[in-house]
Amino acid sequence: MSGDQKTIIKGNPSQYVKLNVGGCLHYTTIGTLCKQDTMLRAMFSGRLEVLTDSEGWILIDRCGSHFGTILNFLRDGSVALPETTKGIAELLAESKYYCIEELIEACEKVLAKKERESEPICRVPLITSQKEEQYLISTATKPVVKLLINRHNNKYSYTNTSDDNLLKNIELFDKLSLRFSGRVFFIKDVIGSSEICCWSFYGNGKKVAEVCCTSIVYATDKKHTKVEFPEARIFEETLNILLYENKNAPDQELMQATSLRGAVGGISSYTSDEEEERTGLARLRSNKQNNPT
């Protein structure tokens, strides 16, 4: 601008100067500007030239929205930081420009705290391939619970309560993932096999239990798929999987004591109520044939 000129300013600490910082006008003393070893001290102690206009305003080509906060920090040694993350980040940028180390540290400390607070409590990966699933399970440092949800089947072949039970399984998965997020690694599979709803439990990279929530119900004209909600069984296996938090496998006697059925061949698997009933009927028929009266 016409009339702008560079000059050296060096005066008494009590001398007032007029500052135009990005269009924001400020009026303060040289003593305040030179209070700490910053760029402002270099500018107003005669070490650097400053630009002034025809009216005597010292021009600083920076955003002036946070310059008042910077002046208050120089005056008092502390200042209330902006409430928003954006405001703190902007103040940090200005503090770095003026080389105000204490204010830089204060801003960075608060930003780091806000970042930690904003981090999600629980992360649940959504499986996109079998290879990804195998990698996540094999590299997990915690026990793993996987829920397979496959709704590609024709829902009109479900029984009346199947849709509600499917949603209940999903809701339980969400609650468990929040409750045990620090101890168990939860993953969700929506591209899996022909299963509609199935829970799998892994310890030390190996499957140790499974709860299948579907069965086939035969009607007069056709068969229907039934989705169940075995809440107690799922919760029991989730508690059992906590025994695999240590790298060593849990004691088998302890596993049997905490399981209603115990482990069979290293993996406990639950079937539907209908399958259990059919198995029981088949066993009774076999006993009658082998022991006729």
Side-chain angles (χ1 to χ4, degrees), residues 14-251:
S14 60
Q15 178 184 339
Y16 276 83
V17 291
K18 303 184 298 182
L19 305 175
N20 183 341
V21 185
C24 297
L25 306 181
H26 299 272
Y27 196 56
T28 187
T29 65
I30 291 179
T32 295
L33 296 169
C34 295
K35 223 169 190 183
Q36 296 188 21
D37 187 14
T38 66
M39 180 180 286
L40 291 170
R41 175 185 283 183
M43 293 171 62
F44 294 94
S45 62
R47 284 186 282 166
L48 295 177
E49 290 183 331
V50 296
L51 185 66
T52 62
D53 64 11
S54 58
E55 297 180 359
W57 288 92
I58 299 168
L59 307 176
I60 300 178
D61 187 19
R62 295 294 296 180
C63 177
S65 58
H66 297 287
F67 194 77
T69 303
I70 289 174
L71 287 179
N72 287 333
F73 182 81
L74 294 175
R75 293 182 183 113
D76 304 326
S78 63
V79 71
L81 300 181
E83 293 184 0
T84 65
T85 301
K86 179 176 180 292
I88 298 173
E90 291 173 351
L91 179 59
L92 175 61
E94 297 306 304
S95 303
K96 288 181 176 179
Y97 176 79
Y98 295 113
C99 303
I100 308 174
E101 292 298 331
E102 290 184 18
L103 190 54
I104 291 172
E105 291 177 5
C107 291
E108 288 178 341
K109 185 176 180 180
V110 173
L111 284 176
K113 182 180 179 182
K114 284 183 173 290
E115 185 176 352
R116 289 193 301 270
E117 292 174 348
S118 63
E119 288 182 355
I121 298 174
C122 176
R123 297 178 184 271
V124 178
L126 191 64
I127 298 301
T128 59
S129 68
Q130 277 193 338
K131 186 176 180 181
E132 180 187 16
E133 175 185 326
Q134 293 170 0
Y135 174 77
L136 288 174
I137 293 173
S138 62
T139 58
T141 57
K142 298 181 288 187
V144 178
V145 173
K146 183 190 77 171
L147 174 62
L148 187 152
I149 294 290
N150 180 7
R151 304 193 71 178
H152 301 305
N153 293 30
N154 186 352
K155 73 175 185 177
Y156 297 105
S157 67
Y158 291 177
T159 58
N160 292 335
T161 59
S162 290
D163 278 335
D164 288 340
N165 285 337
L166 191 62
L167 291 176
K168 287 179 180 178
N169 277 281
I170 297 174
E171 289 173 359
L172 179 59
F173 179 83
D174 293 340
K175 290 178 181 178
L176 292 175
S177 62
L178 288 175
R179 180 171 178 180
F180 297 106
S181 61
R183 304 176 65 184
V184 177
F185 182 47
F186 290 85
I187 58 178
K188 189 176 289 186
D189 184 358
V190 295
I191 62 165
S193 63
S194 59
E195 292 285 354
I196 296 172
C197 182
C198 184
W199 295 71
S200 300
F201 303 84
Y202 299 83
N204 299 332
K206 298 180 180 179
K207 183 188 287 189
V208 296
E210 183 178 276
V211 179
C212 183
C213 303
T214 56
S215 61
I216 301 299
V217 178
Y218 291 91
T220 54
D221 54 343
K222 60 180 179 179
K223 64 180 182 180
H224 297 280
T225 301
K226 179 181 180 182
V227 179
E228 299 166 332
F229 178 51
E231 182 178 10
R233 296 175 181 177
I234 296 167
F235 193 74
E236 175 193 341
E237 289 300 343
T238 303
L239 294 179
N240 284 342
I241 207 69
L242 295 176
L243 298 173
Y244 287 86
E245 286 184 288
N246 299 323
K247 290 186 178 180
N248 297 326
D251 184 86

Side-chain angles (χ1 to χ4, degrees), residues 271-288:
T271 56
S272 67
D273 292 340
E274 285 76 9
E275 289 174 344
E276 291 177 2
E277 290 174 3
R278 287 198 294 270
T279 302
L281 290 173
R283 190 181 300 113
L284 287 174
R285 293 192 187 100
S286 176
N287 291 337
K288 287 184 177 180

